[in-house]
Amino acid sequence: MTKTHRLMILPGDGIGPEVMAEVKKLAEWLGRHADIGFETDEDHLGGASIEAYGVPLADAVLERCRRADAIIMGAVGGPQWDHVDYNIRPEAGLLKLRKELDLFANLRPALVFDALVDASSLKPEIVRGLDILIVRELTGGVYFGEPRGIETLPDGQKRGYNTQSYTTSEIRRIGRVAFDLARKRGNHVCSCEKANVMESGKLWREEITRLHDENYSDVTLNHMYADNCAMQLLRNPRQFDVIVTDNLFGDILSDEAAMLTGSLGMLPSASLGADGVPGLYEPVHGSAPDIAGQGKANPLATILSFAMALRYSLDRGDLANMIEKAVQDVLSSGMRTPDIMAAGCTEISTDAMGDALIAGLEKTMAEAA
Ligand code: IPM
Ligand code: MG
C-alpha cells in the first residue's frame, strides 16, 4: 500500500518561493509515478510571515509544523527587515522553529560533484571527490545562552553581551549523532571547539572524548581548535569526514565548507530532533533578494534537501538516492543555472532545471521498468 506523508512547506522569502515551486513539482511527480503519496500543507515563515501575520512564525503555523512528518523550508530574510528588532526579524522565525521542535542536530553535507569541480575557488586536485559532513549543534551555545542583551553602563557607554554555554547532555546527544553517522561513512570524527580559551570548549572536548571511549572506540576521533579547522578546510579539506561542532563555529565552518564546493546553490541541510519529531530541511543558501523573482535561482539545494527528508524522516532512502543521481546526471549533461554556469554549458532557468531533473527521473524509471 502506498504510504502518504505529511509535508509542511514553508517557502519563506526572496528566492524561497521559486526554488520551492520546483520541490512541489517534484513531489507531485513522485506522487503520480512512485509508490509514495504526499499530503502537503503550506504557510509563511520569516519576512513573508511578518507581512501576513506580524510575526516571523505564527503559533498556528508552528502547530501545523509539529503535525507534519517533515518540514521543507526555502529561505528567510531580506534587506527590508534589516532594521527591525531581533525577536521579530525573519531569522527569529527560523530560530524559533529550531528551538521549539528541539532540532538539535544540523547536518550539512559539503559534497563536490564531479561535474562542478572547476566551480570551486580551490584547485581541482584539492577538492575533487570531497565529501564532508558537518554536524552542527543547533539549539544551544551562544545563539540561545542567557543572559544576553545590551545594557547601558554607569558611564553612559553601552555593553553588548551573550553567553556561550553547553551542558553534558547537550554535548553527548550531538556527539552521538556525529559518531553514528560517521559509522555509515568514513568512520572518522573531528570535533572542533576552542578548548584553549573557553571553558565550554574544554567541557566539550572532555565529554566527546568520554562518549567516544565509552561507546564509539571503533570510530577514529581527533580534536581540533575551530580556527585551525577553518585553516585546514582550505589547506587539505579531504582530511575530514564528519566534523562535529557547536552552534556558532558550525555556522561559520559550514559556510566555509559550502564554498569549497563552488556553489552554495547546491547544498542541502537537515535539522533533526528526537525520534517522532519532524525534521526540518532547508538549503544552506540564503534568500538572495538580489536575484529573487528572475528565474535565476538554483533549485537543486532545495531539491537535495527534499531528498534528505525522504532519507531521514520518511524512510525512503531509495527515492533519495534516485533524486541524487538525477542531480548528478543533469549536471553532467551540462545544464546549469547562472550560479554554476561554465564554458560549454547551457544556461537554464530555475523552472527549466526542475523540469530537466524530472525528465531525468522519467528516463531512469523507464530504464528500470
Ligand atoms: C544558517 C543561518 C542562520 C544561522 C540565520 C539565518 C539565523 O546563517 O542557517 O546558517 O545563523 O543559523
Ligand atoms: Mg549560516
Side-chain angles (χ1 to χ4, degrees), residues 108 136 143 251-252 254-255:
R108 299 192 164 184
R136 167 188 176 194
Y143 270 59
D251 181 44
I252 297 166
S254 64
D255 264 21

Side-chain angles (χ1 to χ4, degrees), residues 179-229:
F179 286 124
D180 285 336
L181 287 166
R183 278 183 176 155
K184 297 184 195 152
R185 301 169 38 100
N187 213 37
H188 180 188
V189 170
C190 175
S191 170
C192 295
E193 26 55 17
K194 286 281 289 177
N196 49 346
V197 286
M198 297 165 77
E199 281 75 8
S200 59
K202 181 169 181 286
L203 182 70
W204 182 284
R205 188 174 287 218
E206 284 166 10
E207 295 295 352
I208 293 284
T209 304
R210 197 160 60 85
L211 177 67
H212 173 258
D213 296 350
E214 286 168 10
N215 305 112
Y216 295 97
S217 52
D218 57 304
V219 181
T220 307
L221 169 68
N222 69 316
H223 302 275
M224 215 178 252
Y225 297 138
D227 54 341
N228 184 27
C229 179

Side-chain angles (χ1 to χ4, degrees), residues 292-330:
Q294 301 170 32
K296 288 184 182 166
N298 186 345
L300 294 176
T302 315
I303 286 174
L304 290 168
S305 301
F306 176 61
M308 287 184 95
L310 287 165
R311 177 174 296 121
Y312 292 112
S313 287
L314 311 181
D315 203 19
R316 289 303 303 263
D318 59 325
L319 294 178
N321 290 338
M322 198 173 93
I323 293 169
E324 285 162 0
K325 181 174 175 299
V327 168
Q328 307 247 18
D329 290 348
V330 98

Side-chain angles (χ1 to χ4, degrees), residues 76 90-92 94-95 98 106 108 136 138 143 247-248 250-252 254-255 269 282-284:
V76 293
E91 290 82 353
L94 175 58
L95 295 178
R98 291 172 178 171
N106 185 213
R108 299 192 164 184
R136 167 188 176 194
L138 201 61
Y143 270 59
N247 204 345
L248 183 61
D251 181 44
I252 297 166
S254 64
D255 264 21
S269 79
E282 52 175 309
V284 168

